[in-house]
Amino acid sequence: MTDSVIRIENLHKSFGSLEVLGGIDLDVRAGETVTVLGSSGSGKSTLLRCINFMEMPSEGRIYLHGDLIGTDEGGSVRYSESELCRIRTRIGMVFQHFNLFPHMTVLKNVMEGQVTVLGRRAGAAEAKAREQLERVGLSDKADEYPARLSGGQKQRVAIARALAMDPDVMLFDEVTSALDPELVGEVLRTIRQLADDGMTMLVVTHELGFAYHVANRVLFISDGRILEQGEPRQILREPATRRMQEFLDGHAQFRLPF
Amino acid sequence: MGHDWDFVTIAQNWGVLWVGLKGTLVIFSVTVVLGLGGGLIVGICRYIRHPVSRWPAMTFIEVFRNTPVLVQIIWFYYAFPILTGIEVDPFLAATLGISLNTMAFSAEIYRAGIQSIEPGQWEAGKAIGMTYSQALRRVILPVAIKRVLPALTNRGIEVFKMSTLASVVAYIETLNQAKLIADLNFNPIESYTVVALIFFVVLYPVVQATYALERTLAKGD
Ligand SMILES: Nc1ncnc2c1ncn2[C@@H]1O[C@H](COP(=O)(O)OP(=O)(O)OP(=O)(O)O)[C@@H](O)[C@H]1O
Ligand SMILES: [Mg+2]
Protein backbone atom coordinates (compact mmCIF):
# COMPACT_ATOMS: atom_id res chain seq x y z
CA MET A 1 0.00 0.00 0.00
CA THR A 2 3.02 2.26 -0.11
CA ASP A 3 2.24 3.65 -3.54
CA SER A 4 -1.41 4.45 -2.83
CA VAL A 5 -2.24 7.86 -4.31
CA ILE A 6 -5.86 8.12 -3.27
CA ARG A 7 -7.37 6.05 -0.52
CA ILE A 8 -11.02 6.36 0.33
CA GLU A 9 -12.53 4.87 3.45
CA ASN A 10 -16.22 4.48 4.08
CA LEU A 11 -17.21 7.52 2.04
CA HIS A 12 -20.81 8.60 2.49
CA LYS A 13 -22.56 11.51 0.87
CA SER A 14 -26.15 12.58 1.32
CA PHE A 15 -28.04 15.50 -0.11
CA GLY A 16 -30.63 16.17 2.56
CA SER A 17 -32.35 12.85 3.10
CA LEU A 18 -31.13 11.42 -0.22
CA GLU A 19 -28.16 9.14 0.31
CA VAL A 20 -26.10 9.21 -2.87
CA LEU A 21 -22.93 7.46 -1.70
CA GLY A 22 -23.44 4.69 0.81
CA GLY A 23 -19.96 3.75 1.93
CA ILE A 24 -17.27 3.65 -0.71
CA ASP A 25 -13.88 2.09 -0.06
CA LEU A 26 -11.29 2.51 -2.74
CA ASP A 27 -7.56 2.55 -3.16
CA VAL A 28 -6.02 3.98 -6.31
CA ARG A 29 -2.35 3.19 -6.75
CA ALA A 30 0.24 5.25 -8.57
CA GLY A 31 0.01 4.92 -12.32
CA GLU A 32 -3.29 3.15 -12.19
CA THR A 33 -6.19 4.00 -14.49
CA VAL A 34 -9.45 3.16 -12.80
CA THR A 35 -12.60 3.41 -14.86
CA VAL A 36 -15.90 3.99 -13.08
CA LEU A 37 -19.05 2.64 -14.69
CA GLY A 38 -22.62 2.89 -13.52
CA SER A 39 -26.02 3.93 -14.71
CA SER A 40 -27.27 7.49 -14.55
CA GLY A 41 -27.81 8.70 -11.00
CA SER A 42 -25.74 5.93 -9.43
CA GLY A 43 -23.37 8.46 -7.85
CA LYS A 44 -20.33 8.47 -10.17
CA SER A 45 -20.04 12.24 -10.40
CA THR A 46 -20.66 12.63 -6.72
CA LEU A 47 -17.83 10.20 -5.99
CA LEU A 48 -15.37 12.21 -8.09
CA ARG A 49 -16.62 15.50 -6.69
CA CYS A 50 -16.10 14.28 -3.14
CA ILE A 51 -12.55 13.21 -3.94
CA ASN A 52 -11.51 16.77 -4.79
CA PHE A 53 -13.96 18.27 -2.31
CA MET A 54 -16.17 20.05 -4.78
CA GLU A 55 -18.75 18.36 -2.56
CA MET A 56 -18.04 17.80 1.10
CA PRO A 57 -18.27 14.16 2.16
CA SER A 58 -20.93 13.51 4.78
CA GLU A 59 -18.76 10.85 6.36
CA GLY A 60 -15.56 8.98 5.71
CA ARG A 61 -11.92 9.69 5.08
CA ILE A 62 -9.85 10.44 2.06
CA TYR A 63 -6.10 10.09 2.01
CA LEU A 64 -3.72 11.59 -0.52
CA HIS A 65 -0.39 9.74 -0.64
CA GLY A 66 -1.25 8.20 2.69
CA ASP A 67 -1.94 11.53 4.44
CA LEU A 68 -5.43 12.15 5.73
CA ILE A 69 -7.05 15.15 4.10
CA GLY A 70 -8.48 17.29 6.88
CA THR A 71 -7.97 17.05 10.60
CA ASP A 72 -9.16 14.16 12.69
CA GLU A 73 -11.29 15.43 15.55
CA GLY A 74 -12.41 12.57 17.67
CA GLY A 75 -13.66 10.39 14.87
CA SER A 76 -15.03 13.04 12.52
CA VAL A 77 -12.87 14.95 10.07
CA ARG A 78 -12.73 18.73 9.87
CA TYR A 79 -11.65 20.57 6.76
CA SER A 80 -10.20 24.02 6.37
CA GLU A 81 -10.85 25.92 3.17
CA SER A 82 -7.19 26.76 2.63
CA GLU A 83 -6.18 23.11 2.95
CA LEU A 84 -8.87 22.11 0.45
CA CYS A 85 -7.63 24.69 -2.05
CA ARG A 86 -4.15 23.24 -1.70
CA ILE A 87 -5.48 19.70 -2.09
CA ARG A 88 -7.41 20.64 -5.22
CA THR A 89 -4.24 21.80 -6.92
CA ARG A 90 -2.95 18.25 -6.50
CA ILE A 91 -6.13 16.60 -7.78
CA GLY A 92 -6.90 17.62 -11.34
CA MET A 93 -10.44 17.48 -12.60
CA VAL A 94 -11.91 17.64 -16.09
CA PHE A 95 -15.62 18.19 -16.62
CA GLN A 96 -18.16 17.10 -19.17
CA HIS A 97 -18.71 20.68 -20.31
CA PHE A 98 -15.03 21.78 -20.44
CA ASN A 99 -15.66 25.03 -18.53
CA LEU A 100 -12.78 26.86 -20.17
CA PHE A 101 -12.38 30.52 -19.24
CA PRO A 102 -13.95 32.29 -22.23
CA HIS A 103 -12.13 35.59 -21.77
CA MET A 104 -8.67 34.06 -21.90
CA THR A 105 -6.76 32.59 -24.78
CA VAL A 106 -5.94 28.90 -24.72
CA LEU A 107 -2.46 29.70 -23.45
CA LYS A 108 -3.80 31.94 -20.66
CA ASN A 109 -6.31 29.28 -19.70
CA VAL A 110 -3.48 26.85 -19.12
CA MET A 111 -1.33 29.46 -17.34
CA GLU A 112 -4.04 30.84 -15.07
CA GLY A 113 -3.96 28.31 -12.24
CA GLN A 114 -0.18 28.16 -12.27
CA VAL A 115 0.17 31.91 -11.87
CA THR A 116 -2.81 32.78 -9.66
CA VAL A 117 -2.85 29.69 -7.47
CA LEU A 118 0.66 28.26 -7.49
CA GLY A 119 2.37 31.63 -7.79
CA ARG A 120 4.60 30.55 -10.64
CA ARG A 121 6.30 33.27 -12.62
CA ALA A 122 4.73 34.12 -15.97
CA GLY A 123 7.74 32.83 -17.91
CA ALA A 124 7.82 29.46 -16.18
CA ALA A 125 4.05 29.15 -16.39
CA GLU A 126 4.07 29.86 -20.09
CA ALA A 127 6.77 27.28 -20.76
CA LYS A 128 4.79 24.74 -18.77
CA ALA A 129 1.57 25.66 -20.56
CA ARG A 130 3.16 25.26 -23.98
CA GLU A 131 4.58 21.92 -22.94
CA GLN A 132 1.13 20.69 -21.88
CA LEU A 133 -0.54 22.04 -25.02
CA GLU A 134 2.03 20.14 -27.03
CA ARG A 135 1.16 17.06 -25.06
CA VAL A 136 -2.52 17.31 -26.00
CA GLY A 137 -1.62 18.23 -29.57
CA LEU A 138 -2.78 21.84 -29.53
CA SER A 139 0.40 23.88 -29.73
CA ASP A 140 -0.93 25.72 -32.77
CA LYS A 141 -4.04 26.89 -30.90
CA ALA A 142 -2.23 28.69 -28.07
CA ASP A 143 -3.44 32.13 -29.10
CA GLU A 144 -7.02 31.22 -29.98
CA TYR A 145 -9.98 31.94 -27.75
CA PRO A 146 -12.02 28.93 -26.62
CA ALA A 147 -15.07 30.02 -28.61
CA ARG A 148 -13.16 29.25 -31.80
CA LEU A 149 -12.30 25.67 -30.89
CA SER A 150 -14.18 22.46 -31.57
CA GLY A 151 -15.56 20.51 -28.60
CA GLY A 152 -12.74 18.00 -28.80
CA GLN A 153 -10.15 20.75 -28.83
CA LYS A 154 -11.81 22.51 -25.90
CA GLN A 155 -11.73 19.33 -23.91
CA ARG A 156 -8.04 18.81 -24.67
CA VAL A 157 -7.33 22.35 -23.50
CA ALA A 158 -9.22 21.59 -20.31
CA ILE A 159 -7.02 18.53 -19.85
CA ALA A 160 -3.89 20.61 -20.44
CA ARG A 161 -5.14 23.19 -17.94
CA ALA A 162 -5.50 20.52 -15.28
CA LEU A 163 -2.16 18.88 -16.13
CA ALA A 164 -0.30 22.18 -15.90
CA MET A 165 -0.84 22.14 -12.14
CA ASP A 166 1.26 18.95 -11.92
CA PRO A 167 -1.47 17.02 -10.16
CA ASP A 168 -0.87 13.70 -8.42
CA VAL A 169 -4.07 12.29 -9.83
CA MET A 170 -6.58 13.24 -12.52
CA LEU A 171 -10.35 12.85 -12.34
CA PHE A 172 -12.35 12.71 -15.56
CA ASP A 173 -16.13 13.01 -15.37
CA GLU A 174 -17.74 11.85 -18.62
CA VAL A 175 -15.44 14.09 -20.57
CA THR A 176 -16.61 12.80 -23.94
CA SER A 177 -20.36 12.80 -23.28
CA ALA A 178 -20.93 16.30 -24.63
CA LEU A 179 -18.93 15.69 -27.80
CA ASP A 180 -20.00 14.82 -31.30
CA PRO A 181 -19.18 11.17 -31.91
CA GLU A 182 -16.39 11.94 -34.37
CA LEU A 183 -14.58 14.05 -31.73
CA VAL A 184 -14.65 11.42 -28.98
CA GLY A 185 -11.63 9.58 -30.30
CA GLU A 186 -9.17 12.48 -30.09
CA VAL A 187 -10.01 13.06 -26.44
CA LEU A 188 -9.86 9.40 -25.51
CA ARG A 189 -6.53 9.07 -27.28
CA THR A 190 -5.22 11.97 -25.21
CA ILE A 191 -6.31 10.30 -22.00
CA ARG A 192 -4.86 7.01 -23.12
CA GLN A 193 -1.55 8.75 -23.73
CA LEU A 194 -1.66 10.02 -20.14
CA ALA A 195 -2.26 6.48 -18.96
CA ASP A 196 0.76 5.32 -20.95
CA ASP A 197 2.79 8.14 -19.39
CA GLY A 198 1.95 6.71 -15.98
CA MET A 199 -0.59 9.30 -14.77
CA THR A 200 -2.87 8.11 -11.99
CA MET A 201 -6.46 8.51 -13.10
CA LEU A 202 -10.07 7.93 -12.18
CA VAL A 203 -12.20 8.00 -15.28
CA VAL A 204 -15.99 8.06 -15.25
CA THR A 205 -17.14 7.14 -18.72
CA HIS A 206 -19.71 5.35 -20.77
CA GLU A 207 -17.06 4.37 -23.31
CA LEU A 208 -16.74 0.67 -22.60
CA GLY A 209 -14.08 0.38 -25.27
CA PHE A 210 -11.92 2.75 -23.30
CA ALA A 211 -12.53 0.80 -20.11
CA TYR A 212 -11.70 -2.42 -21.89
CA HIS A 213 -8.49 -1.30 -23.56
CA VAL A 214 -7.02 1.31 -21.26
CA ALA A 215 -8.16 0.76 -17.68
CA ASN A 216 -6.26 -1.34 -15.20
CA ARG A 217 -9.38 -1.74 -13.18
CA VAL A 218 -13.09 -1.22 -13.65
CA LEU A 219 -15.48 -0.26 -10.89
CA PHE A 220 -19.17 -0.72 -11.28
CA ILE A 221 -21.21 1.57 -9.06
CA SER A 222 -24.81 0.99 -8.26
CA ASP A 223 -26.89 2.95 -5.77
CA GLY A 224 -23.85 4.67 -4.35
CA ARG A 225 -21.89 1.51 -3.65
CA ILE A 226 -19.20 -0.36 -5.51
CA LEU A 227 -21.10 -3.39 -6.64
CA GLU A 228 -18.27 -5.03 -8.56
CA GLN A 229 -14.71 -4.33 -9.47
CA GLY A 230 -12.01 -6.14 -11.31
CA GLU A 231 -9.72 -6.53 -14.25
CA PRO A 232 -11.47 -5.07 -17.32
CA ARG A 233 -11.30 -8.05 -19.62
CA GLN A 234 -12.67 -10.26 -16.89
CA ILE A 235 -15.39 -8.05 -15.48
CA LEU A 236 -16.65 -6.65 -18.79
CA ARG A 237 -16.97 -10.11 -20.28
CA GLU A 238 -18.27 -11.97 -17.27
CA PRO A 239 -19.81 -9.67 -14.68
CA ALA A 240 -20.76 -11.40 -11.49
CA THR A 241 -23.98 -9.53 -10.84
CA ARG A 242 -27.19 -9.25 -12.81
CA ARG A 243 -27.15 -5.49 -12.30
CA MET A 244 -23.89 -5.11 -14.13
CA GLN A 245 -24.90 -7.59 -16.81
CA GLU A 246 -27.99 -5.50 -17.50
CA PHE A 247 -25.92 -2.34 -17.56
CA LEU A 248 -23.53 -3.86 -20.09
CA ASP A 249 -26.40 -5.13 -22.20
CA GLY A 250 -27.63 -1.55 -22.37
CA HIS A 251 -24.23 -0.54 -23.77
CA ALA A 252 -24.06 -3.33 -26.31
CA GLN A 253 -21.83 -1.40 -28.68
CA PHE A 254 -18.23 -1.83 -27.55
CA ARG A 255 -16.95 1.27 -29.24
CA LEU A 256 -13.31 1.01 -30.22
CA PRO A 257 -12.19 4.45 -31.26
CA PHE A 258 -8.48 3.73 -31.29
CA MET B 1 -47.36 82.50 -30.89
CA GLY B 2 -44.29 83.41 -32.89
CA HIS B 3 -41.01 83.77 -31.07
CA ASP B 4 -38.02 85.64 -32.36
CA TRP B 5 -35.18 83.34 -31.54
CA ASP B 6 -32.14 85.20 -30.30
CA PHE B 7 -29.05 83.13 -29.74
CA VAL B 8 -26.72 86.10 -29.90
CA THR B 9 -27.29 86.86 -26.22
CA ILE B 10 -26.43 83.26 -25.40
CA ALA B 11 -23.27 83.48 -27.46
CA GLN B 12 -22.31 86.66 -25.63
CA ASN B 13 -22.76 84.79 -22.34
CA TRP B 14 -20.87 81.73 -23.50
CA GLY B 15 -18.29 82.20 -20.74
CA VAL B 16 -21.01 81.79 -18.11
CA LEU B 17 -22.24 78.60 -19.71
CA TRP B 18 -18.70 77.29 -20.06
CA VAL B 19 -18.15 77.58 -16.32
CA GLY B 20 -21.34 75.53 -15.89
CA LEU B 21 -20.23 72.94 -18.37
CA LYS B 22 -16.99 72.45 -16.49
CA GLY B 23 -18.99 72.04 -13.28
CA THR B 24 -21.12 69.41 -15.00
CA LEU B 25 -18.05 67.51 -16.15
CA VAL B 26 -16.52 67.62 -12.69
CA ILE B 27 -19.55 66.29 -10.87
CA PHE B 28 -20.20 63.74 -13.61
CA SER B 29 -16.64 62.39 -13.41
CA VAL B 30 -16.75 62.08 -9.65
CA THR B 31 -20.22 60.54 -9.42
CA VAL B 32 -19.79 58.12 -12.30
CA VAL B 33 -16.59 56.74 -10.78
CA LEU B 34 -17.99 56.56 -7.24
CA GLY B 35 -21.34 55.26 -8.43
CA LEU B 36 -20.19 52.53 -10.80
CA GLY B 37 -17.12 51.69 -8.72
CA GLY B 38 -18.95 51.60 -5.40
CA GLY B 39 -21.78 49.73 -7.07
CA LEU B 40 -19.40 46.90 -7.89
CA ILE B 41 -18.53 46.51 -4.23
CA VAL B 42 -22.15 46.71 -3.09
CA GLY B 43 -23.17 44.30 -5.86
CA ILE B 44 -20.57 41.75 -4.75
CA CYS B 45 -21.66 42.11 -1.12
CA ARG B 46 -25.23 41.60 -2.21
CA TYR B 47 -24.27 38.50 -4.19
CA ILE B 48 -22.15 36.76 -1.59
CA ARG B 49 -24.19 34.37 0.49
CA HIS B 50 -23.09 35.76 3.78
CA PRO B 51 -25.55 37.57 6.06
CA VAL B 52 -22.91 40.04 7.27
CA SER B 53 -22.39 41.39 3.78
CA ARG B 54 -25.74 40.62 2.24
CA TRP B 55 -28.17 42.36 4.59
CA PRO B 56 -26.45 45.73 4.76
CA ALA B 57 -26.06 45.67 0.97
CA MET B 58 -29.71 44.81 0.45
CA THR B 59 -30.85 47.54 2.80
CA PHE B 60 -28.61 50.06 1.12
CA ILE B 61 -29.86 49.13 -2.32
CA GLU B 62 -33.52 49.26 -1.38
CA VAL B 63 -33.23 52.60 0.42
CA PHE B 64 -31.45 54.37 -2.39
CA ARG B 65 -33.33 52.76 -5.24
CA ASN B 66 -36.69 53.62 -3.81
CA THR B 67 -36.18 57.28 -2.99
CA PRO B 68 -35.85 60.05 -5.59
CA VAL B 69 -32.35 61.39 -6.19
CA LEU B 70 -33.70 64.92 -6.00
CA VAL B 71 -34.99 64.24 -2.51
CA GLN B 72 -31.69 62.65 -1.52
CA ILE B 73 -29.72 65.69 -2.67
CA ILE B 74 -32.02 68.08 -0.83
CA TRP B 75 -31.98 65.88 2.23
CA PHE B 76 -28.18 65.78 2.33
CA TYR B 77 -28.04 69.54 1.87
CA TYR B 78 -30.72 70.69 4.30
CA ALA B 79 -31.47 67.85 6.72
CA PHE B 80 -28.18 66.04 7.18
CA PRO B 81 -26.25 69.08 8.54
CA ILE B 82 -28.94 69.74 11.13
CA LEU B 83 -28.98 66.10 12.25
CA THR B 84 -25.20 65.72 12.46
CA GLY B 85 -23.78 69.19 12.72
CA ILE B 86 -21.60 68.39 9.71
CA GLU B 87 -21.36 71.14 7.10
CA VAL B 88 -22.37 69.97 3.61
CA ASP B 89 -21.68 72.12 0.55
CA PRO B 90 -23.70 71.89 -2.68
CA PHE B 91 -21.08 69.77 -4.43
CA LEU B 92 -20.96 67.25 -1.60
CA ALA B 93 -24.74 67.03 -1.26
CA ALA B 94 -25.22 66.48 -4.99
CA THR B 95 -22.32 64.02 -5.19
CA LEU B 96 -23.72 61.98 -2.32
CA GLY B 97 -27.21 61.88 -3.78
CA ILE B 98 -26.17 60.94 -7.30
CA SER B 99 -23.39 58.52 -6.30
CA LEU B 100 -25.39 56.60 -3.75
CA ASN B 101 -28.34 56.28 -6.10
CA THR B 102 -26.05 55.10 -8.89
CA MET B 103 -24.32 52.66 -6.56
CA ALA B 104 -27.68 51.13 -5.68
CA PHE B 105 -28.78 50.73 -9.28
CA SER B 106 -25.46 49.53 -10.64
CA ALA B 107 -25.07 47.08 -7.72
CA GLU B 108 -28.10 45.26 -9.06
CA ILE B 109 -26.62 45.30 -12.56
CA TYR B 110 -23.36 43.77 -11.34
CA ARG B 111 -25.20 41.19 -9.28
CA ALA B 112 -27.28 40.16 -12.28
CA GLY B 113 -24.07 39.89 -14.29
CA ILE B 114 -22.40 37.67 -11.70
CA GLN B 115 -25.50 35.53 -11.43
CA SER B 116 -25.61 35.04 -15.18
CA ILE B 117 -22.27 33.21 -15.15
CA GLU B 118 -22.65 29.45 -15.46
CA PRO B 119 -21.86 27.54 -12.24
CA GLY B 120 -19.33 25.54 -14.26
CA GLN B 121 -17.06 28.59 -14.30
CA TRP B 122 -16.96 28.73 -10.51
CA GLU B 123 -16.28 25.00 -10.48
CA ALA B 124 -13.46 25.26 -13.01
CA GLY B 125 -11.77 27.91 -10.88
CA LYS B 126 -12.30 25.91 -7.72
CA ALA B 127 -11.01 22.74 -9.35
CA ILE B 128 -7.60 24.30 -10.05
CA GLY B 129 -7.38 25.37 -6.43
CA MET B 130 -8.67 28.91 -6.57
CA THR B 131 -10.14 30.45 -3.46
CA TYR B 132 -13.57 32.02 -3.69
CA SER B 133 -12.14 35.48 -4.12
CA GLN B 134 -9.58 34.37 -6.71
CA ALA B 135 -12.32 32.73 -8.77
CA LEU B 136 -14.46 35.84 -8.42
CA ARG B 137 -11.68 38.19 -9.49
CA ARG B 138 -10.01 36.17 -12.20
CA VAL B 139 -12.81 34.09 -13.67
CA ILE B 140 -16.24 35.47 -12.85
CA LEU B 141 -15.98 39.27 -12.78
CA PRO B 142 -14.18 39.83 -16.09
CA VAL B 143 -16.89 37.98 -17.98
CA ALA B 144 -19.76 39.29 -15.85
CA ILE B 145 -18.71 42.91 -16.26
CA LYS B 146 -18.25 42.51 -19.98
CA ARG B 147 -21.74 41.10 -20.19
CA VAL B 148 -23.33 44.05 -18.36
CA LEU B 149 -21.25 46.72 -20.05
CA PRO B 150 -24.22 48.04 -22.08
CA ALA B 151 -26.34 48.33 -18.94
CA LEU B 152 -23.50 50.10 -17.14
CA THR B 153 -23.07 52.53 -20.01
CA ASN B 154 -26.77 53.34 -19.80
CA ARG B 155 -26.27 54.01 -16.11
CA GLY B 156 -23.39 56.32 -16.97
CA ILE B 157 -25.63 58.24 -19.37
CA GLU B 158 -28.24 58.58 -16.62
CA VAL B 159 -25.56 59.92 -14.29
CA PHE B 160 -24.64 62.55 -16.84
CA LYS B 161 -28.23 63.72 -17.06
CA MET B 162 -28.74 63.50 -13.31
CA SER B 163 -25.95 66.03 -12.83
CA THR B 164 -28.50 68.76 -13.63
CA LEU B 165 -30.28 67.90 -10.37
CA ALA B 166 -27.34 69.46 -8.56
CA SER B 167 -28.70 72.84 -9.62
CA VAL B 168 -31.37 72.49 -6.93
CA VAL B 169 -28.76 73.20 -4.26
CA ALA B 170 -27.13 75.85 -6.49
CA TYR B 171 -24.11 73.79 -7.43
CA ILE B 172 -22.57 75.56 -10.40
CA GLU B 173 -23.27 73.37 -13.41
CA THR B 174 -24.78 73.89 -16.85
CA LEU B 175 -28.45 74.17 -15.93
CA ASN B 176 -27.70 76.44 -13.01
CA GLN B 177 -25.67 78.78 -15.23
CA ALA B 178 -28.36 78.76 -17.91
CA LYS B 179 -30.87 79.85 -15.31
CA LEU B 180 -28.52 82.69 -14.43
CA ILE B 181 -28.43 83.82 -18.04
CA ALA B 182 -32.18 83.42 -18.40
CA ASP B 183 -32.91 85.48 -15.30
CA LEU B 184 -30.57 88.27 -16.30
CA ASN B 185 -31.57 88.48 -19.95
CA PHE B 186 -35.19 87.38 -19.78
CA ASN B 187 -34.54 84.70 -22.39
CA PRO B 188 -35.55 81.38 -20.78
CA ILE B 189 -36.50 79.86 -24.13
CA GLU B 190 -33.05 80.17 -25.65
CA SER B 191 -31.18 79.47 -22.43
CA TYR B 192 -32.93 76.21 -21.62
CA THR B 193 -33.01 75.13 -25.26
CA VAL B 194 -29.26 75.48 -25.36
CA VAL B 195 -28.92 73.35 -22.22
CA ALA B 196 -31.01 70.62 -23.85
CA LEU B 197 -28.92 70.92 -27.02
CA ILE B 198 -25.64 70.65 -25.15
CA PHE B 199 -26.74 67.45 -23.45
CA PHE B 200 -28.06 66.04 -26.69
CA VAL B 201 -24.88 66.80 -28.60
CA VAL B 202 -22.76 65.12 -25.94
CA LEU B 203 -24.99 62.10 -25.38
CA TYR B 204 -26.17 61.23 -28.87
CA PRO B 205 -22.78 59.93 -30.09
CA VAL B 206 -22.27 58.11 -26.79
CA VAL B 207 -25.60 56.34 -27.11
CA GLN B 208 -24.82 55.38 -30.72
CA ALA B 209 -21.50 53.99 -29.54
CA THR B 210 -23.37 51.96 -26.94
CA TYR B 211 -25.52 50.36 -29.61
CA ALA B 212 -22.39 49.45 -31.53
CA LEU B 213 -20.88 48.04 -28.35
CA GLU B 214 -23.99 45.94 -27.70
CA ARG B 215 -23.82 44.51 -31.19
CA THR B 216 -20.13 43.63 -30.86
CA LEU B 217 -20.69 41.99 -27.50
CA ALA B 218 -23.64 40.02 -28.82
CA LYS B 219 -21.41 38.71 -31.61
CA GLY B 220 -18.58 37.87 -29.20
CA ASP B 221 -20.80 35.60 -27.15
N1 LIG C 1 -26.06 19.04 -5.45
C1 LIG C 1 -27.01 18.05 -5.39
N2 LIG C 1 -28.12 18.24 -4.66
C2 LIG C 1 -29.05 17.27 -4.58
N3 LIG C 1 -28.98 16.09 -5.20
C3 LIG C 1 -27.90 15.84 -5.95
C4 LIG C 1 -26.86 16.81 -6.08
N4 LIG C 1 -25.90 16.31 -6.89
C5 LIG C 1 -26.34 15.08 -7.24
N5 LIG C 1 -27.53 14.80 -6.67
C6 LIG C 1 -28.27 13.54 -6.83
O1 LIG C 1 -27.40 12.48 -6.51
C7 LIG C 1 -27.67 11.36 -7.34
C8 LIG C 1 -26.40 10.91 -8.00
O2 LIG C 1 -25.95 11.96 -8.85
P1 LIG C 1 -24.61 11.84 -9.69
O3 LIG C 1 -24.53 13.07 -10.48
O4 LIG C 1 -23.49 11.51 -8.79
O5 LIG C 1 -24.92 10.60 -10.63
P2 LIG C 1 -24.09 10.06 -11.86
O6 LIG C 1 -23.80 8.65 -11.58
O7 LIG C 1 -22.93 10.94 -12.12
O8 LIG C 1 -25.14 10.16 -13.03
P3 LIG C 1 -24.93 10.57 -14.57
O9 LIG C 1 -24.46 9.34 -15.28
O10 LIG C 1 -26.29 10.96 -15.01
O11 LIG C 1 -23.96 11.70 -14.61
C9 LIG C 1 -28.75 11.78 -8.30
O12 LIG C 1 -29.97 11.28 -7.84
C10 LIG C 1 -28.72 13.28 -8.25
O13 LIG C 1 -30.00 13.81 -8.48
MG1 LIG D 1 -22.41 12.33 -13.66
Side-chain angles (χ1 to χ4, degrees):
Chain A
M1 297 274 264
T2 48
D3 59 350
S4 149
V5 177
I6 291 280
R7 188 160 89 247
I8 300 170
E9 285 176 6
N10 193 31
L11 175 64
H12 287 256
K13 176 65 185 178
S14 303
F15 294 105
S17 61
L18 175 72
E19 184 177 76
V20 175
L21 296 179
I24 300 262
D25 293 286
L26 176 65
D27 199 337
V28 183
R29 288 177 294 280
E32 211 182 0
T33 299
V34 177
T35 291
V36 182
L37 303 179
S39 48
S40 182
S42 55
K44 306 179 299 292
S45 296
T46 307
L47 170 62
L48 290 201
R49 293 167 59 80
C50 282
I51 294 175
N52 74 345
F53 297 87
M54 303 293 279
E55 301 285 356
M56 300 307 286
S58 307
E59 202 189 314
R61 287 148 189 270
I62 301 175
Y63 299 81
L64 183 59
H65 282 303
D67 299 323
L68 176 68
I69 299 172
T71 321
D72 192 333
E73 279 189 353
S76 72
V77 185
R78 263 203 32 192
Y79 302 98
S80 82
E81 199 47 45
S82 62
E83 181 189 9
L84 294 185
C85 284
R86 210 162 53 243
I87 289 295
R88 289 189 198 106
T89 65
R90 298 175 58 189
I91 303 177
M93 181 155 194
V94 185
F95 304 88
Q96 183 174 348
H97 294 287
F98 334 127
N99 302 341
L100 294 181
F101 306 135
H103 57 302
M104 297 180 194
T105 62
V106 163
L107 184 70
K108 295 282 185 196
N109 261 278
V110 184
M111 288 172 65
E112 179 58 32
Q114 303 184 62
V115 174
T116 303
V117 179
L118 299 179
R120 285 185 190 150
R121 285 175 190 286
E126 182 179 336
K128 181 90 195 177
R130 290 195 186 278
E131 183 187 308
Q132 297 308 321
L133 285 173
E134 165 109 59
R135 196 171 176 189
V136 300
L138 288 174
S139 295
D140 54 328
K141 300 289 181 195
D143 298 319
E144 290 284 11
Y145 280 87
R148 310 221 359 183
L149 302 182
S150 73
Q153 292 169 336
K154 283 183 195 167
Q155 197 54 294
R156 282 143 68 202
V157 174
I159 293 171
R161 178 174 68 182
L163 288 174
M165 306 296 284
D166 293 322
D168 298 347
V169 53
M170 289 278 285
L171 312 176
F172 294 87
D173 191 3
E174 295 198 32
V175 295
T176 57
S177 296
L179 299 177
D180 292 338
E182 72 271 20
L183 301 177
V184 169
E186 63 185 72
V187 173
L188 290 184
R189 270 193 297 277
T190 304
I191 302 175
R192 172 180 220 165
Q193 185 58 51
L194 297 183
D196 294 345
D197 294 348
M199 176 57 81
T200 310
M201 301 191 285
L202 262 162
V203 185
V204 170
T205 184
H206 287 287
E207 300 291 336
L208 297 187
F210 177 87
Y212 191 83
H213 291 286
V214 181
N216 306 104
R217 184 161 35 133
V218 170
L219 305 183
F220 178 70
I221 295 200
S222 176
D223 291 330
R225 289 194 171 77
I226 298 177
L227 194 61
E228 285 193 51
Q229 59 176 307
E231 201 271 325
R233 281 151 219 265
Q234 171 70 31
I235 193 175
L236 290 173
R237 287 212 177 106
E238 290 159 23
T241 61
R242 248 189 96 128
R243 264 298 210 359
M244 183 157 180
Q245 184 61 59
E246 282 165 8
F247 172 83
L248 292 177
D249 291 344
H251 287 72
Q253 87 296 13
F254 257 52
R255 194 165 349 153
L256 304 175
F258 304 112
Chain B
M1 288 282 280
H3 173 72
D4 289 329
W5 293 83
D6 167 27
F7 285 104
V8 177
T9 321
I10 302 285
Q12 284 163 350
N13 285 287
W14 177 247
V16 180
L17 265 184
W18 178 240
V19 169
L21 207 52
K22 282 193 285 192
T24 295
L25 289 178
V26 167
I27 197 161
F28 166 71
S29 312
V30 173
T31 50
V32 83
V33 169
L34 287 179
L36 297 186
L40 176 60
I41 294 162
V42 179
I44 290 170
C45 291
R46 169 75 179 78
Y47 174 80
I48 292 172
R49 271 153 296 192
H50 196 289
V52 172
S53 75
R54 186 177 207 164
W55 283 103
M58 266 172 85
T59 312
F60 175 90
I61 290 169
E62 293 313 328
V63 166
F64 286 98
R65 265 203 325 175
N66 296 301
T67 48
V69 191
L70 189 54
V71 174
Q72 288 164 21
I73 295 173
I74 291 175
W75 189 86
F76 278 117
Y77 193 63
Y78 294 105
F80 186 78
I82 301 172
L83 288 173
T84 60
I86 298 168
E87 199 66 38
V88 175
D89 67 8
F91 175 76
L92 184 57
T95 299
L96 281 172
I98 297 170
S99 303
L100 294 174
N101 184 271
T102 305
M103 278 166 72
F105 273 97
S106 60
E108 288 295 273
I109 295 174
Y110 288 113
R111 181 179 67 97
I114 297 172
Q115 261 165 357
S116 78
I117 303 293
E118 317 67 78
Q121 290 288 308
W122 286 101
E123 300 214 318
K126 197 171 169 184
I128 51 174
M130 284 185 177
T131 62
Y132 187 87
S133 82
Q134 284 172 334
L136 184 67
R137 258 186 308 117
R138 302 287 308 170
V139 178
I140 305 300
L141 283 183
V143 180
I145 291 176
K146 190 175 151 196
R147 243 177 231 180
V148 298
L149 219 47
L152 291 175
T153 321
N154 284 335
R155 227 40 248 172
I157 291 165
E158 284 306 312
V159 173
F160 193 64
K161 292 189 282 190
M162 270 195 277
S163 66
T164 52
L165 296 176
S167 63
V168 76
V169 288
Y171 171 72
I172 297 172
E173 48 70 66
T174 314
L175 180 59
N176 187 70
Q177 295 297 89
K179 181 172 175 358
L180 205 64
I181 297 171
D183 290 350
L184 289 173
N185 302 286
F186 311 105
N187 61 348
I189 297 182
E190 285 81 0
S191 299
Y192 296 129
T193 302
V194 164
V195 173
L197 271 175
I198 289 174
F199 276 87
F200 184 83
V201 165
V202 173
L203 287 181
Y204 184 77
V206 177
V207 172
Q208 295 309 308
T210 320
Y211 293 152
L213 174 74
E214 269 172 56
R215 280 193 300 273
T216 340
L217 287 184
K219 244 182 284 163
D221 264 10

